[in-house]
Amino acid sequence: FRSAVRTLNNPTPGPPKPDMQVGGTAQQAPDGPPPGWSAELSYNAAYRDFQGKKDDVAIEELAQFLKYAPKSENAPNAQYYIGQIYYRGEDWENAAKAFDAVLEQFPANSKTSEAQYMKACALMKGNHKTAAGAEFKAFIAKYPDSPRAHDAHLHLQELGMEAKRRKE
């Protein structure tokens, strides 16, 4: 499983950048989607396999979806689920990269806050304490009313980067 994941994930997780530019618009890559390929069906199958914890299949389907539908409304979700697959596989480095790809490539979407929180968690689990602390602090600053803000404060305490808060 891990070798398949690594193969799919070089150099970084996320949708590929359009590499064929003509007059400022992306052109169809020579290896376009297979005949009969549907973004909606592809995403639904990938999500079903993600939910079913068929991670090796789901990550391939999600990567294919991002390759052929990088501008789809479901692209941020697909990238986020890739991060979740790495996270539950305890591949902290690739999880952090995948969550970061959500933040970089899809900065304003329904998964943004959760991706930032999960990136911080992956960094913490991967023993990148300083980076994790910075990410938790950025999360709290940007999303102070998030249900996850309390957890972020607890993680900062765990990292020794915040004093314990008194109950009010």
Side-chain angles (χ1 to χ4, degrees):
F1 164 70
R2 288 199 191 272
S3 64
V5 168
R6 276 192 286 280
T7 301
L8 284 170
N9 197 30
N10 285 330
T12 58
K17 306 278 187 252
D19 55 5
M20 299 178 65
Q21 298 284 331
V22 176
T25 60
Q27 299 296 309
Q28 178 68 35
D31 62 334
W37 186 85
S38 156
E40 183 179 355
L41 293 175
S42 173
Y43 178 78
N44 290 341
Y47 184 71
R48 182 179 56 248
D49 289 332
F50 168 77
Q51 289 291 95
K53 296 186 179 176
K54 297 177 183 174
D55 291 348
D56 52 342
V57 174
I59 204 159
E60 287 180 29
E61 292 170 328
L62 291 164
Q64 182 186 59
F65 174 80
L66 287 168
K67 179 179 181 180
Y68 298 132
K71 303 282 187 213
S72 162
E73 69 180 88
N74 286 319
N77 295 349
Q79 183 61 52
Y80 177 81
Y81 297 139
I82 288 173
Q84 284 292 333
I85 290 169
Y86 286 127
Y87 192 89
R88 69 183 174 205
E90 298 183 5
D91 185 343
W92 313 126
E93 301 298 317
N94 282 322
K97 288 177 187 175
F99 291 128
D100 189 54
V102 175
L103 302 173
E104 293 292 318
Q105 296 166 19
F106 312 104
N109 70 80
S110 64
K111 295 292 187 197
T112 303
S113 67
E114 191 66 14
Q116 187 166 15
Y117 177 81
M118 292 305 297
K119 176 185 174 185
C121 290
L123 289 167
M124 185 174 80
K125 294 216 179 228
N127 215 23
H128 300 286
K129 293 178 181 181
T130 303
E135 205 65 42
F136 281 125
K137 288 175 182 179
F139 173 82
I140 292 166
K142 194 168 184 179
Y143 307 104
D145 298 326
S146 166
R148 293 278 203 178
H150 175 74
D151 294 336
H153 282 291
L154 293 176
H155 289 309
L156 284 170
Q157 290 171 16
E158 201 178 318
L159 293 167
M161 296 181 177
E162 183 174 89
K164 290 196 178 197
R165 303 167 85 195
R166 285 185 280 158
K167 292 190 179 192
E168 298 177 18

